[in-house]
Amino acid sequence: MNKLLFSALLGATLLFTGCHKKMPIALPGGHSSMGGGNISGDVIPDNAVNAGSLDGNLNSKGGKDIFKKGAVSANGKYLGQDGLSKSGLKMLYFASDSYTLDDDQIKRFMSDLPKIKAITASSKILVEGNCDEFGTDEYNHALGLKRAKAVKSLLLNAGISADKIDTVSYGESNPTCTINAPACHAKNRRVEINKI
């Protein structure tokens, strides 16, 4: 009898105190966070979280306070209007696990099109795809390349010659922000366009 009672108690203890397993977060559009999205455990409401509500002392690389400038959408896209490449062109942001540009990001792209055309009149440009830190290196490299190719397609449709455009994926290896927070992860899901 004692062995049976002991076994039952041991089983119950293990059941209720076992290791915590991080479960995938269901994202809009049927996406799961386990394939490269935000797995921080934060569920972002549909009306977006104001990233400024986070600790204002957290700074991105370069010292700028990213949390006062934008919000994160329900699908994990950074909604801020900041973010410039080394060439002074606006960064384009993507939702978690996505390489589709939303309308607001296409508008950002279109506002820089005259600058891009001026650059490509005499130089080449490099379209750089980037990802957050979640997912495997292989997944993030492939996703970064798909993001870069999506922007290249916009450039081609805007009349930029293919021989003026190179693409590269940095996957998760080129973060613009390294703080473990949803707004920071969202800023890393981006494409930068730079003059070569």
Side-chain angles (χ1 to χ4, degrees), residues 158-171:
I160 308 293
S161 175
D163 64 343
K164 296 285 189 171
I165 307 167
D166 286 338
T167 58
V168 66
S169 173
Y170 293 121

Side-chain angles (χ1 to χ4, degrees), residues 25 37-45 49-51 53-55 58 66-67 70-79 93-94 96 132-134 177-189:
I25 300 167
N38 181 351
I39 60 171
S40 66
D42 297 327
V43 177
I44 303 167
V49 172
N50 182 350
S53 65
L54 298 171
D55 182 357
L58 299 175
I66 65 154
F67 300 109
V72 179
S73 71
N75 63 5
K77 184 184 74 186
Y78 182 70
L79 298 176
Y93 298 106
F94 294 81
S96 297
D132 60 28
E133 66 189 75
F134 303 105
C177 182
T178 57
I179 299 163
N180 186 17
C184 186
H185 301 312
K187 283 197 85 163
N188 291 330
R189 299 177 199 118

Side-chain angles (χ1 to χ4, degrees), residues 13-27:
T13 302
L14 290 175
L15 178 67
F16 293 111
T17 62
C19 295
H20 171 70
K21 182 177 180 183
K22 202 172 247 192
M23 299 302 291
I25 300 167
L27 298 173

